């Protein structure tokens, strides 16, 4: 299905409306898109899970792959483009040679082991690392965008890995537009691209994030702000600060923009904000473990150690008594058959309340009724 440039602008206007893009800016974007000079886009993937591309694929109609392949000039994307192999690489290289393109990088850039943790393609019989490709593509780019927290700041691959990954700005030593998130919200990415096409690059904060989306904290916009604080997971409608919610220290408009086409967001499904748009992500512990309540006594076992073995059975006249058949003086249990005077079971002790650390995956999904 061919998506017209007009359809793209219509989609873009919807996603960009919330960031205050004026009608004039949108008109300029439309003119830019309609012109033959629409900036080509080269999209490189580094150390990551490709989740940001998947997130983009979840964009509302028209889908982002249709937008990228039919409405703007996507010259290279390892997952979305139709071309493959040498043809695809040639497209990327010729675009870089011409210059003026938008370079998008998804995933972090490994620098350890001579950057050998991530290769993107072969060129003249030589395997090219992501680091080299980024350097080459960035040199002539008009705009550079890091999509996702891995590309922006290192993210998950930067947590413990020996690959010495770097975020894009850190690696290049120059500012870039950072659209963090694990994954990045599709509207954040499309909105930023539209702003570039409109000739009005987004205003960035000190971490390179567009202030249109990352001006306020998640906490500031959260509908659970000021509500009673939950002590355990799975309680709808309560603030989850005590459980480790990082909304107060995280910038993003998730509570008002919502995810999955405006369906929901992390806190609304009783998960925490884990701070995925911050340069500090992942900040451990992602979920604060609940303390074990040791003030309650240990439950008393139902059967005690004084239970007598079956050897208490009285020998019959025909059987030869043996030493082991002699009833034990400690016998407290009568043979099977039922004696109403048998030792009663100890009274049940109430179960101790042991709070078990819970991770978000343990929580059954259920959208709050008030979202
Ligand atoms: S749930 Fe998280 S983001 Fe919402 S009010 Fe509580 S601490 Fe803030
Ligand atoms: S609510 Fe927090 S963890 Fe969830 S997507 Fe937004 S910034 Fe990331």
């Amino acid at each position: 299905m061919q998506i017209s440039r007009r359809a793209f602008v219509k989609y873009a206007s919807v996603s960009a409306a919330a960031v205050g893009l004026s009608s004039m800016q949108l008109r300029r974007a439309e003119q830019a898109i309609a012109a033959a000079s629409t900036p080509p886009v080269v999209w490189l993937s580094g150390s990551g899970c490709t989740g940001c591309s998947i997130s983009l694929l979840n964009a509302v109609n028209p889908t982002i792959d249709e937008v990228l392949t039919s409405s703007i000039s996507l010259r290279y994307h390892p997952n979305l483009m139709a071309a493959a192999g040498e043809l695809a690489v040639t497209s990327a290289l010729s675009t870089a040679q011409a210059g003026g393109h938008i370079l998008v990088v998804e995933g972090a850039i490994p620098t350890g082991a001579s950057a050998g943790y991530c290769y993107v393609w072969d060129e003249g019989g030589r395997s090219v690392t992501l680091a080299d490709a980024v350097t080459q593509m960035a040199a002539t780019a008009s705009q550079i965008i890091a999509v996702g927290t891995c590309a922006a700041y290192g993210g998950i691959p930067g947590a413990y890995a020996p690959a010495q990954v770097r975020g894009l700005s850190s690696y290049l030593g120059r500012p870039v537009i950072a659209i963090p998130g694990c994954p990045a919200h599709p509207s954040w990415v499309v909105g930023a691209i539209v702003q570039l096409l409109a000739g009005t690059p987004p205003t960035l904060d000190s971490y390179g994030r567009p202030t249109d989306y990352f001006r306020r904290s998640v906490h500031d916009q959260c509908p659970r702000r000021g509500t009673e604080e939950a002590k355990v997971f799975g309680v709808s409608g309560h603030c989850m600060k005590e459980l480790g919610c990082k909304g107060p220290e995280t910038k993003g408009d998730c509570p008002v923009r919502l995810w999955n086409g405006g369906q929901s967001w992390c806190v609304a499904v009783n998960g925490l904000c884990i701070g995925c748009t911050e340069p500090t992500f992942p900040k451990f512990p992602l979920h604060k473990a609940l303390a074990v309540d040791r003030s309650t006594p240990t439950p008393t076992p139902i059967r005690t150690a004084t239970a007598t073995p079956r050897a208490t059975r009285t020998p019959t006249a025909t059987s030869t008594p043996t030493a082991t058949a002699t009833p034990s003086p400690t016998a407290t249990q009568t043979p099977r058959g039922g004696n109403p005077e048998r030792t009663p079971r100890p009274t049940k002790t109430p179960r101790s309340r042991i709070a078990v650390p819970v991770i978000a995956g343990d929580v059954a999904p259920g959208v709050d009724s008030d979202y």
Side-chain angles (χ1 to χ4, degrees):
M1 176 179 143
Q2 284 286 315
I3 300 299
S4 68
R5 296 176 193 282
R6 182 169 295 280
F8 169 60
V9 172
K10 189 177 174 191
Y11 165 68
S13 67
V14 172
S15 73
V19 304
L21 209 65
S22 69
S23 55
M24 180 176 288
Q25 287 174 309
L26 273 175
R27 245 194 329 275
R28 287 165 65 181
E30 188 172 17
Q31 287 165 358
I33 292 165
S37 59
T38 301
V41 175
V42 173
W43 186 299
L44 298 177
S45 285
S47 289
C49 64
T50 320
C52 291
S53 285
I54 299 298
S55 178
L56 280 171
L57 291 170
N58 283 332
V60 293
N61 193 40
T63 57
I64 194 67
D65 60 326
E66 292 165 336
V67 168
L68 291 177
T69 55
S70 306
S71 304
I72 64 173
S73 185
L74 182 70
R75 298 292 174 83
Y76 183 85
H77 189 299
N79 309 109
L80 297 181
M81 70 186 302
E86 205 173 319
L87 193 60
V89 176
T90 301
S91 173
L93 295 177
S94 60
T95 301
Q97 198 169 16
H101 55 285
I102 297 174
L103 172 63
V104 179
V105 177
E106 171 186 7
I109 303 162
T111 61
S114 303
Y117 282 93
C118 186
Y119 290 93
V120 287
W121 56 60
D122 285 351
E123 188 183 339
R126 179 180 69 96
S127 294
V128 177
T129 65
L130 171 75
D132 282 349
V134 166
T135 302
Q136 184 179 6
M137 297 290 146
T140 53
S142 61
Q143 300 287 346
I144 304 175
I145 306 176
V147 169
T149 302
C150 300
Y153 314 120
I156 297 278
Y160 294 120
Q164 299 170 35
V165 306
R166 307 265 293 274
L168 189 55
S169 176
S170 162
Y171 173 73
L172 291 173
R174 59 187 271 198
V176 304
I177 298 171
I179 314 289
C182 191
H185 195 296
S187 292
W188 298 339
V189 179
V190 173
I193 291 176
V194 169
Q195 285 176 289
L196 290 178
L197 295 177
T200 54
T203 305
L204 308 178
D205 69 9
S206 57
Y207 295 119
R209 300 174 295 196
T211 54
D212 290 320
Y213 312 111
F214 300 98
R215 183 183 295 111
R216 300 176 65 195
S217 74
V218 169
H219 177 72
D220 277 351
Q221 304 160 86
C222 179
R224 296 194 186 188
R225 189 176 174 184
T227 60
E228 184 183 339
E229 293 191 4
K231 304 285 186 270
V232 293
F233 283 93
V235 181
S236 294
H238 288 194
C239 172
M240 294 194 285
K241 194 173 179 182
E242 279 198 24
L243 300 176
C245 182
K246 293 178 174 55
E249 57 195 61
T250 303
K251 294 285 175 33
D253 62 5
C254 309
V256 291
R257 183 173 301 281
L258 305 179
W259 285 75
N260 299 331
Q263 294 302 305
S264 193
W265 69 292
C266 302
V267 169
V269 294
N270 286 334
L272 302 177
C273 170
I274 55 174
C276 79
T277 58
E278 289 299 310
T280 51
F281 179 79
K283 188 175 178 183
F284 296 107
L286 287 180
H287 305 100
K288 190 171 66 178
L290 303 181
V292 175
D293 180 5
R294 300 186 190 284
S295 61
T296 313
T298 307
T300 307
I302 292 175
R303 287 192 184 277
T304 65
T306 56
T308 312
R310 290 185 181 180
T312 56
R313 198 172 280 173
T314 307
T316 62
T318 55
S319 65
T320 308
T322 62
T324 56
T326 308
S328 163
T330 60
T332 56
Q333 197 172 40
T334 51
R336 287 184 180 178
N339 184 338
E341 295 179 357
R342 71 179 182 183
T343 310
R345 288 185 174 184
T347 312
K348 266 190 180 174
T349 308
R351 289 187 182 182
S352 61
R353 283 189 65 249
I354 299 177
V356 180
V358 182
I359 59 173
D362 294 329
V363 181
V367 180
D368 286 357
S369 58
D370 52 340
Y371 288 93

